[in-house]
Structure formats: C-alpha cells, structure tokens
Amino acid sequence: MSELFARRLSGKPIVGIDGTDYGTLATITMDPKSGSLRDLVVDSDSGPSSVITSLSDDDGRLRIPVSNIETVNDRIVVRSDG
C-alpha cells in the first residue's frame, strides 16, 4: 500500500469486499511500543459485526484489524477473514 496521510483517511466509508457498509473511519489505533497500526475504529449505525470482529471500544464503535484492509481509495475496502 502506498503512503497515505491519516487526515485523508478520517471520515472515509468502510465497506466489505461483498459491499457491506460498516460505517465511516473515526480513527486508527496503534501499538505504542512498536508504532505499528492496530485497528480501524469505525463509527457505525449498526453496531459491532462479529463477521469482522467482536471487538468494540468504550463507545461501542466497531474495531477492524488493519490486516483486513484490501484497498484504500475513495473508500476503505476490508475483508471479513482475519
């Protein structure tokens, strides 16, 4: 994946490869020790989906591992397998 600035990702729609709409990107979490990106935190009307992850943050927002990202362009496309 080519280099992207985080400010260009905020608010992008997140969809599954099957077209499922998961919501919009709120923020991205990272591991403070390694600096590696960990999860996409998604604002979603439908709540957490166990298809991708059963994790949610304290506000109930969906968390999708960054390893599930397929493509990033006008939207972020993710796969449902880990």
Side-chain angles (χ1 to χ4, degrees), residues 48-76:
S49 170
S50 60
V51 172
I52 287 190
T53 180
S54 59
L55 297 175
S56 62
D57 67 8
D58 293 339
D59 293 328
R61 295 179 295 188
L62 178 66
R63 295 179 71 156
I64 300 172
V66 295
S67 60
N68 287 35
I69 297 173
E70 278 292 313
T71 60
V72 177
N73 44 46
D74 61 327
R75 63 184 65 187
I76 301 170

PDB file of all heavy atoms in Angstrom, residues 48-76:
ATOM      1  N   PRO A  48     -21.353  -3.338  16.399  1.00  0.00           N
ATOM      2  CA  PRO A  48     -20.320  -4.308  16.086  1.00  0.00           C
ATOM      3  C   PRO A  48     -20.824  -5.481  15.264  1.00  0.00           C
ATOM      4  O   PRO A  48     -21.940  -5.954  15.450  1.00  0.00           O
ATOM      5  CB  PRO A  48     -19.846  -4.781  17.462  1.00  0.00           C
ATOM      6  CG  PRO A  48     -20.202  -3.683  18.383  1.00  0.00           C
ATOM      7  CD  PRO A  48     -21.462  -3.083  17.826  1.00  0.00           C
ATOM      8  N   SER A  49     -19.997  -5.933  14.332  1.00  0.00           N
ATOM      9  CA  SER A  49     -20.327  -7.076  13.494  1.00  0.00           C
ATOM     10  C   SER A  49     -19.350  -8.200  13.775  1.00  0.00           C
ATOM     11  O   SER A  49     -18.150  -8.032  13.605  1.00  0.00           O
ATOM     12  CB  SER A  49     -20.252  -6.683  12.011  1.00  0.00           C
ATOM     13  OG  SER A  49     -20.335  -7.824  11.207  1.00  0.00           O
ATOM     14  N   SER A  50     -19.850  -9.354  14.200  1.00  0.00           N
ATOM     15  CA  SER A  50     -18.970 -10.474  14.507  1.00  0.00           C
ATOM     16  C   SER A  50     -18.369 -11.074  13.241  1.00  0.00           C
ATOM     17  O   SER A  50     -17.469 -11.894  13.318  1.00  0.00           O
ATOM     18  CB  SER A  50     -19.729 -11.545  15.285  1.00  0.00           C
ATOM     19  OG  SER A  50     -20.815 -12.014  14.523  1.00  0.00           O
ATOM     20  N   VAL A  51     -18.849 -10.663  12.062  1.00  0.00           N
ATOM     21  CA  VAL A  51     -18.273 -11.150  10.816  1.00  0.00           C
ATOM     22  C   VAL A  51     -16.818 -10.706  10.715  1.00  0.00           C
ATOM     23  O   VAL A  51     -15.953 -11.447  10.286  1.00  0.00           O
ATOM     24  CB  VAL A  51     -19.068 -10.634   9.593  1.00  0.00           C
ATOM     25  CG1 VAL A  51     -18.371 -10.967   8.303  1.00  0.00           C
ATOM     26  CG2 VAL A  51     -20.478 -11.189   9.623  1.00  0.00           C
ATOM     27  N   ILE A  52     -16.521  -9.485  11.136  1.00  0.00           N
ATOM     28  CA  ILE A  52     -15.148  -8.979  11.074  1.00  0.00           C
ATOM     29  C   ILE A  52     -14.473  -9.073  12.432  1.00  0.00           C
ATOM     30  O   ILE A  52     -13.388  -9.566  12.565  1.00  0.00           O
ATOM     31  CB  ILE A  52     -15.115  -7.524  10.560  1.00  0.00           C
ATOM     32  CG1 ILE A  52     -15.413  -7.534   9.078  1.00  0.00           C
ATOM     33  CG2 ILE A  52     -13.786  -6.880  10.824  1.00  0.00           C
ATOM     34  CD1 ILE A  52     -15.191  -6.234   8.393  1.00  0.00           C
ATOM     35  N   THR A  53     -15.120  -8.601  13.446  1.00  0.00           N
ATOM     36  CA  THR A  53     -14.535  -8.606  14.784  1.00  0.00           C
ATOM     37  C   THR A  53     -15.628  -8.477  15.830  1.00  0.00           C
ATOM     38  O   THR A  53     -16.672  -7.904  15.561  1.00  0.00           O
ATOM     39  CB  THR A  53     -13.514  -7.452  14.943  1.00  0.00           C
ATOM     40  OG1 THR A  53     -12.986  -7.510  16.270  1.00  0.00           O
ATOM     41  CG2 THR A  53     -14.138  -6.102  14.731  1.00  0.00           C
ATOM     42  N   SER A  54     -15.382  -9.025  16.974  1.00  0.00           N
ATOM     43  CA  SER A  54     -16.339  -8.848  18.073  1.00  0.00           C
ATOM     44  C   SER A  54     -15.876  -7.735  18.995  1.00  0.00           C
ATOM     45  O   SER A  54     -16.502  -7.468  20.001  1.00  0.00           O
ATOM     46  CB  SER A  54     -16.488 -10.157  18.854  1.00  0.00           C
ATOM     47  OG  SER A  54     -15.237 -10.555  19.361  1.00  0.00           O
ATOM     48  N   LEU A  55     -14.765  -7.093  18.647  1.00  0.00           N
ATOM     49  CA  LEU A  55     -14.228  -6.030  19.484  1.00  0.00           C
ATOM     50  C   LEU A  55     -14.938  -4.714  19.239  1.00  0.00           C
ATOM     51  O   LEU A  55     -15.285  -4.381  18.115  1.00  0.00           O
ATOM     52  CB  LEU A  55     -12.733  -5.827  19.204  1.00  0.00           C
ATOM     53  CG  LEU A  55     -11.819  -6.994  19.519  1.00  0.00           C
ATOM     54  CD1 LEU A  55     -10.406  -6.656  19.076  1.00  0.00           C
ATOM     55  CD2 LEU A  55     -11.844  -7.327  20.995  1.00  0.00           C
ATOM     56  N   SER A  56     -15.127  -3.972  20.284  1.00  0.00           N
ATOM     57  CA  SER A  56     -15.628  -2.610  20.156  1.00  0.00           C
ATOM     58  C   SER A  56     -14.935  -1.783  21.224  1.00  0.00           C
ATOM     59  O   SER A  56     -14.418  -2.318  22.197  1.00  0.00           O
ATOM     60  CB  SER A  56     -17.151  -2.554  20.320  1.00  0.00           C
ATOM     61  OG  SER A  56     -17.532  -2.999  21.590  1.00  0.00           O
ATOM     62  N   ASP A  57     -14.896  -0.473  21.018  1.00  0.00           N
ATOM     63  CA  ASP A  57     -14.258   0.375  22.017  1.00  0.00           C
ATOM     64  C   ASP A  57     -15.274   0.781  23.081  1.00  0.00           C
ATOM     65  O   ASP A  57     -16.408   0.303  23.081  1.00  0.00           O
ATOM     66  CB  ASP A  57     -13.562   1.579  21.373  1.00  0.00           C
ATOM     67  CG  ASP A  57     -14.514   2.564  20.728  1.00  0.00           C
ATOM     68  OD1 ASP A  57     -15.743   2.418  20.890  1.00  0.00           O
ATOM     69  OD2 ASP A  57     -14.030   3.487  20.060  1.00  0.00           O
ATOM     70  N   ASP A  58     -14.871   1.653  23.981  1.00  0.00           N
ATOM     71  CA  ASP A  58     -15.749   2.054  25.087  1.00  0.00           C
ATOM     72  C   ASP A  58     -17.014   2.754  24.616  1.00  0.00           C
ATOM     73  O   ASP A  58     -18.022   2.777  25.314  1.00  0.00           O
ATOM     74  CB  ASP A  58     -14.997   2.972  26.062  1.00  0.00           C
ATOM     75  CG  ASP A  58     -13.886   2.234  26.796  1.00  0.00           C
ATOM     76  OD1 ASP A  58     -13.938   0.988  26.867  1.00  0.00           O
ATOM     77  OD2 ASP A  58     -12.969   2.906  27.293  1.00  0.00           O
ATOM     78  N   ASP A  59     -16.981   3.326  23.403  1.00  0.00           N
ATOM     79  CA  ASP A  59     -18.151   3.997  22.834  1.00  0.00           C
ATOM     80  C   ASP A  59     -18.990   3.055  21.973  1.00  0.00           C
ATOM     81  O   ASP A  59     -19.937   3.484  21.326  1.00  0.00           O
ATOM     82  CB  ASP A  59     -17.723   5.208  22.000  1.00  0.00           C
ATOM     83  CG  ASP A  59     -17.112   6.299  22.862  1.00  0.00           C
ATOM     84  OD1 ASP A  59     -17.537   6.439  24.021  1.00  0.00           O
ATOM     85  OD2 ASP A  59     -16.208   6.999  22.380  1.00  0.00           O
ATOM     86  N   GLY A  60     -18.624   1.767  21.939  1.00  0.00           N
ATOM     87  CA  GLY A  60     -19.368   0.789  21.156  1.00  0.00           C
ATOM     88  C   GLY A  60     -19.054   0.826  19.665  1.00  0.00           C
ATOM     89  O   GLY A  60     -19.766   0.246  18.868  1.00  0.00           O
ATOM     90  N   ARG A  61     -17.954   1.498  19.286  1.00  0.00           N
ATOM     91  CA  ARG A  61     -17.592   1.565  17.866  1.00  0.00           C
ATOM     92  C   ARG A  61     -16.868   0.297  17.444  1.00  0.00           C
ATOM     93  O   ARG A  61     -16.091  -0.280  18.195  1.00  0.00           O
ATOM     94  CB  ARG A  61     -16.712   2.795  17.602  1.00  0.00           C
ATOM     95  CG  ARG A  61     -17.454   4.095  17.855  1.00  0.00           C
ATOM     96  CD  ARG A  61     -16.592   5.292  17.613  1.00  0.00           C
ATOM     97  NE  ARG A  61     -15.498   5.320  18.585  1.00  0.00           N
ATOM     98  CZ  ARG A  61     -14.659   6.326  18.743  1.00  0.00           C
ATOM     99  NH1 ARG A  61     -14.761   7.391  17.970  1.00  0.00           N
ATOM    100  NH2 ARG A  61     -13.712   6.285  19.644  1.00  0.00           N
ATOM    101  N   LEU A  62     -17.134  -0.124  16.233  1.00  0.00           N
ATOM    102  CA  LEU A  62     -16.535  -1.311  15.646  1.00  0.00           C
ATOM    103  C   LEU A  62     -15.034  -1.124  15.484  1.00  0.00           C
ATOM    104  O   LEU A  62     -14.575  -0.039  15.134  1.00  0.00           O
ATOM    105  CB  LEU A  62     -17.183  -1.532  14.273  1.00  0.00           C
ATOM    106  CG  LEU A  62     -16.715  -2.690  13.415  1.00  0.00           C
ATOM    107  CD1 LEU A  62     -17.064  -4.011  14.081  1.00  0.00           C
ATOM    108  CD2 LEU A  62     -17.380  -2.606  12.053  1.00  0.00           C
ATOM    109  N   ARG A  63     -14.270  -2.180  15.745  1.00  0.00           N
ATOM    110  CA  ARG A  63     -12.812  -2.160  15.539  1.00  0.00           C
ATOM    111  C   ARG A  63     -12.459  -3.246  14.541  1.00  0.00           C
ATOM    112  O   ARG A  63     -12.764  -4.408  14.752  1.00  0.00           O
ATOM    113  CB  ARG A  63     -12.097  -2.381  16.860  1.00  0.00           C
ATOM    114  CG  ARG A  63     -12.349  -1.234  17.841  1.00  0.00           C
ATOM    115  CD  ARG A  63     -11.672  -1.457  19.140  1.00  0.00           C
ATOM    116  NE  ARG A  63     -10.233  -1.288  18.941  1.00  0.00           N
ATOM    117  CZ  ARG A  63      -9.400  -0.961  19.910  1.00  0.00           C
ATOM    118  NH1 ARG A  63      -9.855  -0.771  21.129  1.00  0.00           N
ATOM    119  NH2 ARG A  63      -8.122  -0.822  19.686  1.00  0.00           N
ATOM    120  N   ILE A  64     -11.810  -2.849  13.459  1.00  0.00           N
ATOM    121  CA  ILE A  64     -11.427  -3.781  12.394  1.00  0.00           C
ATOM    122  C   ILE A  64      -9.900  -3.806  12.313  1.00  0.00           C
ATOM    123  O   ILE A  64      -9.276  -2.753  12.156  1.00  0.00           O
ATOM    124  CB  ILE A  64     -12.012  -3.339  11.040  1.00  0.00           C
ATOM    125  CG1 ILE A  64     -13.536  -3.281  11.111  1.00  0.00           C
ATOM    126  CG2 ILE A  64     -11.538  -4.271   9.922  1.00  0.00           C
ATOM    127  CD1 ILE A  64     -14.187  -2.680   9.879  1.00  0.00           C
ATOM    128  N   PRO A  65      -9.288  -4.993  12.408  1.00  0.00           N
ATOM    129  CA  PRO A  65      -7.823  -5.066  12.317  1.00  0.00           C
ATOM    130  C   PRO A  65      -7.332  -4.491  10.979  1.00  0.00           C
ATOM    131  O   PRO A  65      -7.921  -4.756   9.933  1.00  0.00           O
ATOM    132  CB  PRO A  65      -7.527  -6.564  12.394  1.00  0.00           C
ATOM    133  CG  PRO A  65      -8.743  -7.164  13.040  1.00  0.00           C
ATOM    134  CD  PRO A  65      -9.895  -6.308  12.621  1.00  0.00           C
ATOM    135  N   VAL A  66      -6.246  -3.724  11.010  1.00  0.00           N
ATOM    136  CA  VAL A  66      -5.713  -3.144   9.776  1.00  0.00           C
ATOM    137  C   VAL A  66      -5.257  -4.236   8.807  1.00  0.00           C
ATOM    138  O   VAL A  66      -5.196  -4.001   7.606  1.00  0.00           O
ATOM    139  CB  VAL A  66      -4.574  -2.127  10.028  1.00  0.00           C
ATOM    140  CG1 VAL A  66      -5.084  -0.916  10.777  1.00  0.00           C
ATOM    141  CG2 VAL A  66      -3.411  -2.759  10.738  1.00  0.00           C
ATOM    142  N   SER A  67      -4.988  -5.422   9.308  1.00  0.00           N
ATOM    143  CA  SER A  67      -4.590  -6.537   8.435  1.00  0.00           C
ATOM    144  C   SER A  67      -5.727  -6.955   7.502  1.00  0.00           C
ATOM    145  O   SER A  67      -5.489  -7.668   6.523  1.00  0.00           O
ATOM    146  CB  SER A  67      -4.125  -7.734   9.271  1.00  0.00           C
ATOM    147  OG  SER A  67      -5.162  -8.185  10.113  1.00  0.00           O
ATOM    148  N   ASN A  68      -6.953  -6.514   7.778  1.00  0.00           N
ATOM    149  CA  ASN A  68      -8.101  -6.850   6.928  1.00  0.00           C
ATOM    150  C   ASN A  68      -8.289  -5.876   5.761  1.00  0.00           C
ATOM    151  O   ASN A  68      -9.171  -6.073   4.947  1.00  0.00           O
ATOM    152  CB  ASN A  68      -9.386  -6.874   7.752  1.00  0.00           C
ATOM    153  CG  ASN A  68      -9.475  -8.073   8.662  1.00  0.00           C
ATOM    154  OD1 ASN A  68      -8.474  -8.518   9.187  1.00  0.00           O
ATOM    155  ND2 ASN A  68     -10.664  -8.595   8.858  1.00  0.00           N
ATOM    156  N   ILE A  69      -7.474  -4.815   5.691  1.00  0.00           N
ATOM    157  CA  ILE A  69      -7.620  -3.843   4.609  1.00  0.00           C
ATOM    158  C   ILE A  69      -7.200  -4.465   3.286  1.00  0.00           C
ATOM    159  O   ILE A  69      -6.128  -5.054   3.174  1.00  0.00           O
ATOM    160  CB  ILE A  69      -6.778  -2.574   4.869  1.00  0.00           C
ATOM    161  CG1 ILE A  69      -7.264  -1.862   6.129  1.00  0.00           C
ATOM    162  CG2 ILE A  69      -6.823  -1.635   3.661  1.00  0.00           C
ATOM    163  CD1 ILE A  69      -6.375  -0.698   6.544  1.00  0.00           C
ATOM    164  N   GLU A  70      -8.067  -4.340   2.285  1.00  0.00           N
ATOM    165  CA  GLU A  70      -7.776  -4.793   0.923  1.00  0.00           C
ATOM    166  C   GLU A  70      -7.284  -3.635   0.067  1.00  0.00           C
ATOM    167  O   GLU A  70      -6.247  -3.733  -0.564  1.00  0.00           O
ATOM    168  CB  GLU A  70      -9.028  -5.399   0.277  1.00  0.00           C
ATOM    169  CG  GLU A  70      -9.295  -6.827   0.649  1.00  0.00           C
ATOM    170  CD  GLU A  70      -8.250  -7.781   0.082  1.00  0.00           C
ATOM    171  OE1 GLU A  70      -7.914  -7.698  -1.112  1.00  0.00           O
ATOM    172  OE2 GLU A  70      -7.758  -8.600   0.871  1.00  0.00           O
ATOM    173  N   THR A  71      -8.059  -2.551   0.012  1.00  0.00           N
ATOM    174  CA  THR A  71      -7.694  -1.385  -0.781  1.00  0.00           C
ATOM    175  C   THR A  71      -8.152  -0.108  -0.083  1.00  0.00           C
ATOM    176  O   THR A  71      -9.072  -0.130   0.727  1.00  0.00           O
ATOM    177  CB  THR A  71      -8.329  -1.403  -2.194  1.00  0.00           C
ATOM    178  OG1 THR A  71      -9.743  -1.416  -2.061  1.00  0.00           O
ATOM    179  CG2 THR A  71      -7.892  -2.595  -2.999  1.00  0.00           C
ATOM    180  N   VAL A  72      -7.482   0.982  -0.436  1.00  0.00           N
ATOM    181  CA  VAL A  72      -7.872   2.306   0.056  1.00  0.00           C
ATOM    182  C   VAL A  72      -7.871   3.232  -1.151  1.00  0.00           C
ATOM    183  O   VAL A  72      -6.860   3.384  -1.828  1.00  0.00           O
ATOM    184  CB  VAL A  72      -6.885   2.845   1.115  1.00  0.00           C
ATOM    185  CG1 VAL A  72      -7.290   4.245   1.553  1.00  0.00           C
ATOM    186  CG2 VAL A  72      -6.808   1.908   2.311  1.00  0.00           C
ATOM    187  N   ASN A  73      -9.038   3.805  -1.453  1.00  0.00           N
ATOM    188  CA  ASN A  73      -9.150   4.837  -2.481  1.00  0.00           C
ATOM    189  C   ASN A  73     -10.228   5.794  -2.007  1.00  0.00           C
ATOM    190  O   ASN A  73     -10.047   6.408  -0.974  1.00  0.00           O
ATOM    191  CB  ASN A  73      -9.389   4.240  -3.881  1.00  0.00           C
ATOM    192  CG  ASN A  73     -10.415   3.123  -3.872  1.00  0.00           C
ATOM    193  OD1 ASN A  73     -11.468   3.265  -3.270  1.00  0.00           O
ATOM    194  ND2 ASN A  73     -10.120   2.018  -4.514  1.00  0.00           N
ATOM    195  N   ASP A  74     -11.341   5.905  -2.689  1.00  0.00           N
ATOM    196  CA  ASP A  74     -12.416   6.775  -2.203  1.00  0.00           C
ATOM    197  C   ASP A  74     -13.141   6.156  -1.021  1.00  0.00           C
ATOM    198  O   ASP A  74     -13.928   6.803  -0.355  1.00  0.00           O
ATOM    199  CB  ASP A  74     -13.393   7.128  -3.327  1.00  0.00           C
ATOM    200  CG  ASP A  74     -14.081   5.911  -3.914  1.00  0.00           C
ATOM    201  OD1 ASP A  74     -13.462   4.824  -3.960  1.00  0.00           O
ATOM    202  OD2 ASP A  74     -15.227   6.037  -4.362  1.00  0.00           O
ATOM    203  N   ARG A  75     -12.872   4.896  -0.765  1.00  0.00           N
ATOM    204  CA  ARG A  75     -13.376   4.165   0.402  1.00  0.00           C
ATOM    205  C   ARG A  75     -12.338   3.162   0.851  1.00  0.00           C
ATOM    206  O   ARG A  75     -11.416   2.861   0.110  1.00  0.00           O
ATOM    207  CB  ARG A  75     -14.703   3.486   0.081  1.00  0.00           C
ATOM    208  CG  ARG A  75     -14.587   2.439  -1.011  1.00  0.00           C
ATOM    209  CD  ARG A  75     -15.867   1.831  -1.411  1.00  0.00           C
ATOM    210  NE  ARG A  75     -16.679   2.865  -2.020  1.00  0.00           N
ATOM    211  CZ  ARG A  75     -17.939   2.709  -2.385  1.00  0.00           C
ATOM    212  NH1 ARG A  75     -18.511   1.562  -2.220  1.00  0.00           N
ATOM    213  NH2 ARG A  75     -18.604   3.686  -2.920  1.00  0.00           N
ATOM    214  N   ILE A  76     -12.496   2.646   2.053  1.00  0.00           N
ATOM    215  CA  ILE A  76     -11.600   1.616   2.575  1.00  0.00           C
ATOM    216  C   ILE A  76     -12.336   0.282   2.454  1.00  0.00           C
ATOM    217  O   ILE A  76     -13.413   0.123   3.025  1.00  0.00           O
ATOM    218  CB  ILE A  76     -11.206   1.901   4.038  1.00  0.00           C
ATOM    219  CG1 ILE A  76     -10.501   3.259   4.141  1.00  0.00           C
ATOM    220  CG2 ILE A  76     -10.324   0.777   4.587  1.00  0.00           C
ATOM    221  CD1 ILE A  76     -10.293   3.751   5.561  1.00  0.00           C
TER     222      ILE A  76
END
